[in-house]
């Protein structure tokens, strides 16, 4: 089957700067923003110009290089000391996705382990950021392949429900859960994607449907509260979501609403898959109770566009993520293969 898949890259390094797709303007406008300082990169992550666990890791890696290249010293220790506050600014952008912290650690380790002059360390840091990005794209393709092995064999062409955006926009390119869906489409195993709109920021409605339309993958948008009805009607054969942090026992934090989707899938006997790179697994945390959950500005909740949807005097709670317990997850699909959550520990290098 001929692939109709397009290539969308949310983060590119060119002309000595990072170029980001401004995801806050999709689907109305496709624009790129040029980032030349680490402060701009931190702001882009915070405001979700760039978002999605692997993508913010890549963005933070380039952010660290952008900060490093401004450091003016020939003293190695002084250089390493000055990197730490830059790393701290980038770490403080978003708390839940562990890929951000993983990528910053990788960069700091590169700085520490590279011998030679400060200029040589700076060159090694840019090389490392490029490698993190390129590896992520390869990893997504491997996740896509691993996903094909565990998808239900019946019916031949599946309807797959997904939540939030886990595609090219959320990664170096291709995607994790949406990468599996792309691979299924490319190998003739997909009938249609059902995309949850994903309140409050609507990543499903704005970004996932945009990616599907780019690739001519049939997609049906539903609101988050329609999933149970669709499953009861027999419309959904599998659910595939991404993750922001998976703990050693296989609990998985992902976009708010994922947990209720997993419960609904269990109630209807629909397999529920989590697709994520191993850089999303935080083996230092035993269970999902230890995952820090980001709370975002309540305007995301009470405003649709510029219109306020509730009266004054209301209080708000706007957690951006929830944790799906391991027992609700059929399998975790990684670049090294798909495993049941209890078997995730085999990938630990600790
Ligand atoms: O708040 P966001 O848009 O960054 O949240 C994104 C998600 O929850 C994704 O499902 C997750 O990061 C996996 S992306 C491959």
């Amino acid at each position: 089957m001929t692939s109709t898949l397009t290539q969308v890259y949310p983060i590119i390094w060119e002309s000595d700067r990072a170029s980001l797709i401004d995801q806050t303007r999709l689907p109305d406008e496709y624009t790129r923003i040029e980032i030349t300082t680490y402060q701009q990169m931190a702001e882009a992550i915070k405001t979700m110009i760039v978002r999605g666990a692997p993508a913010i890791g890549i963005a933070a890696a380039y952010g660290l290089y952008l900060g490093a290249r401004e450091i003016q010293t020939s003293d190695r220790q002084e250089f390493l000391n000055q990197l730490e506050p830059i790393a701290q600014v980038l770490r403080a952008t978003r708390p839940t996705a562990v890929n951000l912290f993983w990528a910053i650690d990788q960069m700091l380790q590169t700085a520490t382990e590279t011998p030679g002059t400060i200029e040589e360390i700076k060159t090694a840091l840019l090389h490392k950021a490029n490698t993190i990005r390129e590896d992520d794209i390869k990893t997504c393709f491997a996740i896509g392949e691993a996903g094909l092995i565990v998808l239900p064999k019946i019916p031949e062409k599946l309807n797959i429900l997904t939540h939030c955006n886990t595609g090219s926009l959320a990664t170096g390119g291709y995607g994790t859960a949406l990468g599996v869906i792309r691979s299924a489409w490319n190998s003739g195993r997909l009938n249609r994607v059902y995309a949850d709109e994903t309140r409050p920021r609507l990543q499903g409605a704005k970004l996932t449907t945009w990616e599907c339309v780019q690739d001519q993958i049939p997609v049906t948008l539903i609101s988050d509260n329609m999933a149970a009805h669709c499953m009861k009607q027999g419309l959904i054969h599998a659910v595939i979501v991404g993750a922001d942090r998976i703990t050693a026992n296989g609990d998985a934090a992902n976009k708010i609403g994922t947990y209720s989707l997993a419960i609904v899938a269990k109630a209807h006997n629909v397999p529920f898959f989590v697709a994520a790179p191993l850089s999303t697994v935080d083996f230092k945390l035993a269970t999902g109770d230890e995952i820090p959950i980001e709370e975002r500005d309540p305007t995301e909740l009470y405003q649709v566009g510029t219109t306020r949807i509730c009266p004054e005097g209301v209080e708000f709670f706007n957690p951006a993520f929830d944790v799906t317990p391991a027992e609700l997850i059929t399998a975790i699909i990684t670049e090294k293969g798909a495993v049941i959550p209890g078997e995730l520990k085999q990938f630990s290098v600790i």
Side-chain angles (χ1 to χ4, degrees):
M1 184 175 186
T2 319
S3 169
T4 56
L5 303 185
T6 54
Q7 288 181 329
V8 171
Y9 298 118
I11 307 157
I12 294 172
W13 183 263
E14 59 184 5
S15 312
D16 247 4
R17 61 196 60 194
S19 159
L20 306 179
I21 295 176
D22 185 347
Q23 300 191 32
T24 64
R25 300 175 89 121
L26 286 170
D28 300 333
E29 273 177 54
Y30 177 95
T31 47
R32 298 198 80 103
I33 291 190
E34 305 217 322
I35 303 285
T36 54
T37 68
Y38 77 93
Q39 293 95 334
Q40 288 172 351
M41 189 62 95
E43 198 53 27
I45 297 171
K46 242 188 228 166
T47 57
M48 296 175 65
I49 285 170
V50 59
R51 36 114 344 251
I56 63 175
I58 297 163
Y62 283 117
L64 199 94
Y65 167 69
L66 288 169
R69 76 176 180 184
E70 284 170 21
I71 299 174
Q72 300 295 332
T73 180
S74 53
D75 181 77
R76 181 186 180 86
Q77 194 50 50
E78 177 57 21
F79 176 79
L80 294 177
N81 291 347
Q82 287 194 38
L83 270 187
E84 189 42 46
I86 296 166
Q88 207 35 46
V89 168
L90 291 162
R91 282 190 199 107
T93 51
R94 298 196 70 190
T96 303
V98 77
N99 310 62
L100 179 86
F101 304 92
W102 172 87
I104 293 170
D105 287 349
Q106 294 273 310
M107 292 292 283
L108 292 176
Q109 191 181 344
T110 298
T112 315
E113 290 176 358
T114 301
T117 64
I118 301 299
E119 279 319 303
E120 283 166 334
I121 302 177
K122 288 180 182 175
T123 304
L125 284 173
L126 178 56
H127 179 73
K128 183 67 185 177
N130 286 332
T131 304
I132 289 173
R133 175 183 176 276
E134 285 154 21
D135 284 353
D136 186 67
I137 298 172
K138 289 182 206 147
T139 296
C140 285
F141 281 113
I143 290 171
E145 288 302 304
L148 287 183
I149 296 168
V150 287
L151 282 178
K153 302 287 176 272
I154 300 170
E156 202 185 317
K157 285 180 186 279
L158 302 167
N159 290 343
I160 300 180
L161 174 62
T162 190
H163 192 65
C164 195
N165 172 265
T166 60
S168 296
L169 292 166
T171 58
Y174 200 69
T176 56
L178 202 56
V180 176
I181 290 170
R182 281 198 160 93
S183 295
W185 173 248
N186 223 16
S187 52
R189 298 285 332 278
L190 183 79
N191 179 52
R192 161 166 306 274
V193 179
Y194 281 80
D196 269 356
E197 66 172 351
T198 318
R199 277 278 290 153
R201 284 191 67 107
L202 303 175
Q203 291 95 327
K206 292 183 172 182
L207 306 178
T208 298
T209 60
W210 181 80
E211 287 199 37
C212 289
V213 168
Q214 298 298 306
D215 281 353
Q216 298 168 38
I217 297 174
V219 58
T220 298
L221 176 65
I222 59 171
S223 65
D224 299 337
N225 50 6
M226 294 175 188
H229 176 73
C230 291
M231 287 185 204
K232 187 133 193 278
Q233 299 288 311
L235 293 174
I236 311 294
H237 306 117
V239 178
I240 311 182
V241 298
D244 289 80
R245 193 181 302 224
I246 301 172
T247 52
N249 69 335
D251 291 348
N254 190 49
K255 181 53 53 193
I256 193 76
T258 303
Y259 177 30
S260 45
L261 197 53
I263 293 171
V264 164
K266 183 86 168 179
H268 293 87
N269 226 359
V270 171
F272 183 91
F273 300 101
V274 172
L278 289 170
S279 57
T280 301
V281 185
D282 186 349
F283 285 106
K284 292 195 294 301
L285 302 189
T287 77
D289 294 342
E290 297 167 59
I291 299 175
I293 300 293
E294 177 181 12
E295 277 188 47
R296 293 191 59 86
D297 191 297
T299 50
E300 292 180 350
L301 202 55
Y302 69 68
Q303 232 168 256
V304 174
T306 51
T307 308
R308 191 183 168 102
I309 56 167
C310 65
E312 298 288 344
V314 177
E315 291 186 8
F316 305 103
F317 180 44
N318 187 22
F321 301 96
D322 57 27
V323 176
T324 299
E327 60 266 23
L328 296 179
I329 299 171
T330 309
I332 298 177
I333 305 166
T334 78
E335 67 273 30
K336 295 242 163 79
V339 289
I340 57 168
E343 286 177 0
L344 198 58
K345 282 196 185 112
Q346 69 184 273
F347 298 130
S348 167
V349 285
I350 298 169

